[in-house]
Amino acid sequence: MNQKNKKLSSRKNRVIHTVSLFAGCGGSDLGLLGDFEFVGTKFPKLNYSIVYANDIDEHAAKTYKQNIGDHITVEDINNINAADIPNHDLLIGGFPCQSFSIAGQRKGFDDARGELYLHMVDFLKEKQPKVFIAENVKGILSVDGGRAFGKIISDFESSGYKVKHKLVNATDFGVPQKRQRVFIIGVRNDIKKDFNFEEPSAKRVILKDVLENRKDIDKKYFFSERAHQGLRNANKAFNKGRSQDINSQCNTISTHLAKSSLNGTDPVITVGKEKYRRLTPLEAARIQSFPDNFEFVGSDSKKYIQIGNAIAPVVMWHIAKSVQNQIFS
Ligand SMILES: C[S@@+](CC[C@H](N)C(=O)[O-])C[C@H]1O[C@@H](n2cnc3c(N)ncnc32)[C@H](O)[C@@H]1O
């Protein structure tokens, strides 16, 4: 290889040092790193290397350590000083969404959790990485008539970034789930490149492709006759709303799966006539596009929380690849 090509190739493969806040079990970070397979499709390794990650949840951090790496710290973001964090090129964070979620009370900034994004803003001001990627629920767009989102964007912009956002649906990326999430991407003002969201063109994956195909699913995943009747009484549209069409994509996987009685549009599987069961943790993880070799640590309930909180790795892989190609190449 001549000198010029050598230079180009090393530039192409330059490591992109990344800090991951609110890293949870590592859904976002698996996507960012790549090198995994989901329903027969390979997601090759990308050029990112994670130099620091944090989360407050020790169970999620155990899962993270087992599957991603032991660079995660279990710490409340309120106790972390941005100046103590290693320098990095990319900052990512799916900041907590309960206060913006339609499934929650939607208190926005009136809920202290609504202000956690400000820690990302502080990190950006202090460390000035080239790019940041933030993620949140669809509901963030409409809290307080859109004013809350407007403030979030202008806070990110005032840290020195050109900011773009897009509401994406995991379905379009080949994930068997109707999961709509807002991605916010900022490129530092002095960088002479713009980021543009690309239109995904993935093969559609349906629920049937990822359900556990075995007869001996543990009884604990089935609703008792009484619980089932309760669900029916509580929601007359039970069959229509929650019982999933296995030839389509699944409703959004949320942390509610950890609750003994599901609510809202939490997905339920119909098995035979009039029999309903919840998703197993393995199915929930697959619906979020985790590969089967990703092992979740903890009880079922802790697993459902980690899975429901995660950024779908396949969606993150596509976004991270676009960022790598457009900004870091
Ligand atoms: C939307 S989830 C992020 C999921 C993660 N990016 C993934 O893909 O698996 C938000 C995370 O923020 C964490 N969190 C909530 N409050 C926190 C705090 N004060 N400090 C640090 N982490 C916090 C939660 O434990 C949760 O894992």
Side-chain angles (χ1 to χ4, degrees):
M1 204 185 292
N2 67 31
Q3 270 321 96
K4 194 175 164 207
N5 283 347
K6 232 188 209 168
K7 248 190 187 163
L8 280 178
S9 123
S10 71
R11 195 188 297 161
K12 217 172 164 204
N13 296 319
R14 194 165 37 193
V15 174
I16 306 161
H17 296 107
T18 303
V19 162
S20 174
L21 301 181
F22 312 109
C25 65
S28 48
D29 297 17
L30 174 67
L32 193 88
L33 296 171
D35 195 18
F36 65 98
E37 194 170 332
F38 177 66
V39 197
T41 301
K42 286 191 166 52
F43 296 89
K45 186 180 170 331
L46 298 173
N47 294 346
Y48 299 93
S49 162
I50 300 165
V51 293
Y52 176 89
N54 95 296
D55 201 278
I56 200 169
D57 178 345
E58 60 178 298
H59 299 282
K62 277 188 187 154
T63 298
Y64 188 102
K65 280 189 185 163
Q66 180 142 328
N67 297 277
I68 307 287
D70 55 13
H71 49 260
I72 189 164
T73 313
V74 183
E75 189 63 84
D76 185 331
I77 190 91
N78 291 295
N79 302 331
I80 298 172
N81 184 354
D84 298 337
I85 301 303
N87 290 337
H88 48 282
D89 306 302
L90 171 70
L91 177 70
I92 65 169
F95 52 90
C97 56
Q98 284 86 347
S99 51
F100 301 113
S101 165
I102 286 166
Q105 300 290 309
R106 310 197 78 207
K107 290 183 183 159
F109 298 135
D110 295 339
D111 180 334
R113 292 173 302 184
E115 300 210 330
L116 287 174
Y117 80 96
L118 286 173
H119 291 282
M120 275 192 85
V121 171
D122 287 346
F123 270 65
L124 293 173
K125 285 188 174 149
E126 172 74 29
K127 305 300 281 192
Q128 291 283 292
K130 294 189 180 76
V131 181
F132 77 84
I133 305 176
E135 184 259 17
N136 214 273
V137 291
K138 182 184 175 187
I140 198 174
L141 297 173
S142 53
V143 174
D144 197 15
R147 279 184 289 276
F149 189 66
K151 174 166 170 16
I152 291 171
I153 295 294
S154 82
D155 285 341
F156 278 132
E157 284 172 342
S158 67
S159 322
Y161 290 81
K162 301 171 270 185
V163 181
K164 289 194 175 161
H165 74 274
K166 187 175 182 193
L167 179 66
V168 307
N169 193 335
T171 304
D172 300 329
F173 293 81
V175 174
Q177 184 188 175
K178 299 165 199 152
R179 187 183 192 84
Q180 290 188 286
R181 290 292 182 263
V182 179
F183 279 84
I184 306 169
I185 298 193
V187 178
R188 207 175 60 208
N189 283 338
D190 62 299
I191 291 174
K192 307 253 171 299
K193 289 178 178 177
D194 282 327
F195 176 78
N196 292 302
F197 285 94
E198 293 173 75
E199 284 305 319
S201 61
K203 174 188 93 179
R204 298 231 156 189
V205 179
I206 56 175
L207 188 51
K208 193 162 68 179
D209 298 329
V210 296
L211 288 181
E212 285 203 66
N213 191 13
R214 58 188 174 94
K215 294 231 159 17
D216 57 342
I217 299 231
D218 197 306
K219 280 199 187 63
K220 69 181 176 183
Y221 297 112
F222 287 80
F223 293 107
S224 69
E225 205 47 53
R226 212 162 140 239
H228 176 210
Q229 196 51 49
L231 286 169
R232 280 185 102 85
N233 292 343
N235 180 358
K236 299 280 179 256
F238 181 77
N239 287 316
K240 219 170 151 216
R242 295 184 241 187
S243 192
Q244 303 298 297
D245 174 0
I246 63 168
N247 291 306
S248 182
Q249 286 82 19
C250 189
N251 286 0
T252 304
I253 298 292
S254 78
T255 55
H256 297 165
L257 288 185
K259 296 191 176 150
S260 55
S261 63
L262 300 178
N263 54 34
T265 52
D266 296 332
V268 170
I269 302 300
T270 311
V271 194
K273 203 168 173 258
E274 297 284 286
K275 267 195 145 181
Y276 298 93
R277 70 165 174 84
R278 63 178 67 234
L279 297 161
T280 65
L282 177 63
E283 289 169 335
R286 286 177 179 170
I287 292 166
Q288 275 277 56
S289 75
F290 282 94
D292 280 9
N293 63 0
F294 194 98
E295 284 179 36
F296 289 86
V297 179
S299 60
D300 273 6
S301 143
K302 299 281 185 237
K303 287 179 185 170
Y304 285 131
I305 291 172
Q306 295 168 40
I307 295 166
N309 265 335
I311 298 181
V314 162
V315 175
M316 189 65 187
W317 184 87
H318 282 282
I319 301 269
K321 185 165 172 264
S322 294
V323 168
Q324 178 177 302
N325 290 346
Q326 294 183 35
I327 311 294
F328 289 107
S329 297

